[in-house]
């Protein structure tokens, strides 16, 4: 029995060489796809990666159609496409006989990882859509050589079963929902759920921030970090404060959108102006917490006196020490590096994932869970914290609600200690809970 010959062989250079089918004819849809990538400035490595993924898919598709024993409908085509994912992941170890045979015929030895499926899907989807625009059949049905197996030409009856034409793009387009943002996936990959921000956002312990600020290399950075910790503001909001946004007598700071200020007052270069940012904030007020409020104004005074050039021709407080231009226009990665250096000097061992933005998350977690209140209570109501953070939607604030793991550990440890020492039984816990609920209700009625 002759060994199976794949319809396409990956050329030595996908970027430069023409893809030929097994009969030696140029495969035009692939040429159109590669030219599309080249025209749009894709990197050569990306073109090689995408091209290889498409060729492997075409070989799979060719072999599957050769083995097909039923009419090719949209439903069948969807099944073929869905099966490709399992072919990539399982290959010759697949329990599906057809997929296993195709993997053996194509000598697929190494299976793909889940992490690589997204790139493969992007390549195939783009290949299909580019040829849809160019009105090119992905499988040229008129070219019998494309369906040739070991130089055997299929009969007309066999060819009639394979009626791809526009079905390839039809099954992608047909089932799409008309939403504002539509993600097209040839392989029908499911978008993974995002992890909760509570697990992926790196915060800094409140008792470590003082030391971190002390370890900053300049009064400017000390003032900047202290402002972030005191206000919970976003990095770009603090970096873009102007001298007129600060009330030194009342010790207050306002956060004002630069887009609400006349451009002539900012005196920025076109490049600097393009770097202005404003995510959106519901209030210009900040609610500064101690001790960082005092630390900010102390270091701000030292910074303005010793470091900031008094004749800057722009109104922004924080400046680049090298050229006196606004600090927000400096390299962001350098600012993060300086922050991490200060964190490391302060004794924070794990600096992976922390940045000036971490101070905003520390602030939110603190005021929502730990801020001391009257009547031995802790943590502000969610709607208050929404105002503190400048969130336009309370949904943005909810990610900080009771998410501090240390707070949870403290509650559990306290309960465990009381239960272990027999100072509290479960009936007492229930009684205490109901007493607290009655007290809350009485206060509400009395208000």
């Amino acid at each position: 029995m002759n060994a199976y010959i794949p319809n396409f062989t990956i050329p030595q250079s996908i970027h430069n060489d023409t893809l030929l089918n097994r009969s030696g004819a140029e495969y035009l849809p692939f040429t159109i796809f590669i030219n599309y990538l080249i025209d749009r400035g894709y990197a050569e490595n990306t073109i090689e990666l995408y091209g290889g993924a498409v060729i492997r898919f075409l070989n799979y598709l060719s072999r599957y159609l050769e083995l097909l024993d039923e009419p090719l409908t949209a439903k069948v085509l969807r099944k073929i496409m869905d099966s490709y994912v399992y072919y990539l992941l399982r290959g010759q170890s697949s329990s599906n006989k057809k997929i296993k045979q195709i993997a053996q015929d194509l000598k697929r030895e190494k299976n793909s990882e889940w992490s690589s499926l997204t790139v493969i899907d992007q390549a195939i989807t783009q290949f299909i859509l580019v040829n849809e625009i160019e009105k090119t059949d992905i499988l040229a049905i008129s070219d019998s050589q494309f369906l040739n197996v070991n130089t055997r030409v299929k009969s007309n009856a066999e060819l009639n079963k394979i009626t791809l034409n526009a079905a390839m793009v039809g099954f992608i387009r047909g089932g799409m929902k008309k939403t504002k943002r539509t993600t097209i996936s040839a392989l029908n990959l499911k978008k993974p759920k995002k992890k909760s921000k509570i697990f992926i956002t790196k915060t800094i312990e409140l008792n470590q921030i003082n030391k971190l600020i002390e370890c900053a290399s300049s009064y400017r950075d000390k003032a900047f970090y202290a402002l972030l910790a005191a206000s919970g503001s976003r990095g770009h909001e603090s970096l873009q404060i102007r001298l007129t946004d600060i009330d030194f007598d009342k010790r207050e700071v306002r956060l004002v959108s630069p887009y609400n200020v006349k451009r002539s007052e900012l005196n920025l270069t076109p490049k600097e102006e393009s770097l202005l940012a404003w995510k959106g904030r519901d209030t210009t007020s900040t609610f500064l917490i101690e001790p960082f409020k005092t630390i900010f104004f102390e270091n701000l005074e030292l910074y303005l006196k010793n470091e900031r050039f008094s004749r800057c021709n722009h109104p922004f407080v924080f400046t680049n020490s090298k050229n006196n231009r606004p600090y927000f226009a400096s390299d962001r990665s350098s600012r993060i590096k300086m922050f991490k250096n200060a964190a490391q000097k302060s004794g924070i061992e794990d600096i992976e994932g922390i940045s000036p933005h971490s101070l905003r998350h520390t602030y939110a977690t603190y005021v929502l869970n730990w801020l001391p209140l009257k009547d031995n209570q802790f943590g502000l109501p969610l709607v208050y914290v929404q105002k503190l953070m400048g969130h336009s939607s309370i949904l943005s604030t909810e990610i900080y609600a009771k998410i501090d793991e240390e707070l949870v550990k403290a509650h559990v440890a306290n309960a465990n200690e009381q239960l272990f020492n027999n100072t509290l039984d479960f009936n007492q816990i229930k009684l205490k809970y109901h007493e607290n609920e009655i007290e809350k209700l009485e206060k509400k009625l009395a208000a």
Side-chain angles (χ1 to χ4, degrees):
M1 182 177 179
N2 293 331
Y4 176 77
I5 302 174
N7 200 38
F8 300 103
T9 301
I10 298 179
Q12 187 172 0
S13 171
I14 291 174
H15 185 272
N16 298 310
D17 299 338
T18 301
L19 180 65
L20 308 176
N21 64 15
R22 71 165 69 90
S23 67
E26 178 183 2
Y27 182 53
L28 186 59
F30 188 82
T31 303
I32 290 173
F33 173 62
I34 296 302
N35 287 338
Y36 169 88
L37 298 180
I38 294 173
D39 290 342
R40 277 150 186 79
Y42 278 64
E44 187 167 343
N45 288 342
T46 303
I47 294 174
E48 295 290 321
L49 180 66
Y50 274 33
V54 168
I55 293 171
R56 285 185 284 274
F57 162 72
L58 290 170
N59 278 332
Y60 163 84
L61 183 60
S62 298
R63 187 56 178 150
Y64 203 115
L65 293 175
E66 290 162 353
L67 297 172
L68 197 64
D69 54 3
E70 60 182 318
L72 184 63
T73 62
K75 185 177 180 180
V76 172
L77 185 56
R78 181 69 268 166
K79 177 183 174 183
I80 294 173
M81 299 298 288
D82 290 343
S83 297
Y84 188 57
V85 173
Y86 297 101
Y87 167 82
L88 292 170
L89 297 173
R90 301 293 183 183
Q92 296 188 34
S93 63
S94 174
S95 58
N96 183 296
K97 292 182 179 179
K98 188 168 290 184
I99 291 177
K100 185 175 182 178
Q101 180 182 342
I102 295 172
Q104 290 172 343
D105 292 340
L106 297 178
K107 296 181 174 57
R108 183 173 178 78
E109 303 293 340
K110 186 178 180 180
N111 297 329
S112 301
E113 298 291 337
W114 269 107
S115 58
S116 65
L117 293 186
T118 301
V119 174
I120 295 172
D121 181 46
Q122 288 172 348
I124 296 170
T125 302
Q126 194 136 314
F127 168 75
I128 292 171
L129 295 177
V130 167
N131 280 282
E132 177 192 33
I133 295 170
E134 296 295 328
K135 307 296 183 183
T136 307
D137 289 339
I138 291 176
L139 299 187
I141 305 303
S142 59
D143 180 9
S144 61
Q145 291 300 316
F146 185 87
L147 306 170
N148 193 27
V149 182
N150 291 338
T151 69
R152 179 181 72 85
V153 178
K154 285 185 176 292
S155 66
N156 288 334
E158 289 174 310
L159 290 174
N160 288 336
K161 292 182 180 180
I162 306 172
T163 55
L164 258 175
N165 294 331
M168 181 66 74
V169 295
F171 84 87
I172 294 179
R173 293 292 193 188
M176 282 168 39
K177 295 180 180 179
K178 302 297 182 182
T179 56
K180 188 174 182 179
R181 289 187 178 182
T182 303
T183 300
I184 304 172
S185 170
L187 304 184
N188 202 25
L189 294 182
K190 303 298 181 184
K191 188 176 181 180
K193 292 182 179 179
K194 290 184 179 179
K195 292 183 179 180
S196 171
K197 289 186 179 180
I198 132 186
F199 298 114
I200 62 176
T201 299
K202 187 69 177 290
T203 59
I204 299 171
E205 293 294 331
L206 196 70
N207 57 8
Q208 294 176 312
I209 295 177
N210 278 32
K211 184 66 175 176
L212 187 153
I213 294 172
E214 290 176 9
C215 291
S217 59
S218 64
Y219 292 127
R220 178 200 62 192
D221 289 349
K222 289 178 182 180
F224 174 43
Y225 301 160
L227 178 58
L228 291 175
S231 66
S233 59
R234 299 178 179 92
H236 68 267
E237 293 171 344
S238 287
L239 285 172
Q240 292 171 173
I241 62 169
R242 299 165 299 149
L243 290 169
T244 53
D245 296 328
I246 302 174
D247 188 324
F248 289 88
D249 295 329
K250 294 181 179 179
R251 289 201 156 194
E252 294 177 348
V253 177
R254 295 191 315 139
L255 298 176
V256 180
S257 169
Y259 303 123
N260 294 334
V261 181
K262 291 181 180 179
R263 288 293 182 267
S264 58
E265 294 179 13
L266 300 181
N267 198 23
L268 298 174
T269 66
K271 184 178 180 180
E272 289 170 343
E273 189 169 325
S274 70
L275 294 173
L276 287 170
W278 199 256
K279 189 174 181 179
R281 186 177 175 87
D282 195 45
T283 177
T284 60
S285 301
T286 59
F287 305 87
L288 307 179
I289 62 172
E290 294 289 7
F292 311 118
K293 176 180 179 179
T294 297
I295 295 173
F296 164 67
F297 279 100
E298 287 177 349
N299 282 283
L300 177 64
E301 183 179 348
L302 292 169
Y303 163 61
L304 295 176
K305 181 180 179 180
N306 299 296
E307 294 178 0
R308 189 181 188 274
F309 186 57
S310 60
R311 295 182 180 179
C312 287
N313 62 350
H314 63 79
F316 296 95
V317 173
F318 297 113
T319 63
N320 188 323
S321 58
K322 295 180 180 180
N323 57 18
N324 292 318
R325 297 307 300 164
Y327 194 38
F328 73 80
S330 65
D331 180 58
R332 180 174 177 270
S333 61
S334 296
R335 296 198 300 266
I336 293 175
K337 185 178 180 180
M338 294 175 70
F339 182 84
K340 288 187 174 185
N341 287 340
Q344 206 162 32
K345 288 179 183 178
S346 72
I348 299 175
E349 295 181 359
D350 183 11
I351 61 171
E352 184 68 28
I354 67 171
S355 69
H357 194 69
S358 299
L359 298 176
R360 174 173 169 82
H361 294 287
T362 301
Y363 174 92
T365 302
Y366 171 71
V367 297
L368 191 56
N369 299 299
W370 295 99
L371 189 71
L373 306 176
K374 294 180 180 179
D375 302 324
N376 202 30
Q377 298 294 312
F378 295 88
L380 289 172
L382 196 63
V383 290
Y384 289 12
V385 180
Q386 178 189 1
K387 195 76 173 176
L388 289 170
M389 300 296 289
H391 286 151
S392 58
S393 169
I394 202 166
L395 296 176
S396 301
T397 317
E398 286 179 344
I399 64 170
Y400 302 105
K402 302 299 179 186
I403 57 87
D404 191 334
E405 291 185 15
E406 291 303 315
L407 178 63
V408 176
K409 289 177 182 177
H411 285 317
V412 173
N414 177 61
N416 285 344
E417 183 179 355
Q418 294 187 64
L419 290 168
F420 183 80
N421 294 327
N422 294 319
T423 60
L424 200 67
D425 61 26
F426 287 111
N427 286 328
Q428 288 176 309
I429 292 174
K430 292 179 183 178
L431 179 61
K432 189 172 183 179
Y433 168 78
H434 288 299
E435 287 175 347
N436 287 337
E437 290 300 304
I438 291 172
E439 185 178 350
K440 289 179 184 178
L441 184 59
E442 288 176 343
K443 288 181 178 180
K444 189 175 181 179
L445 292 172

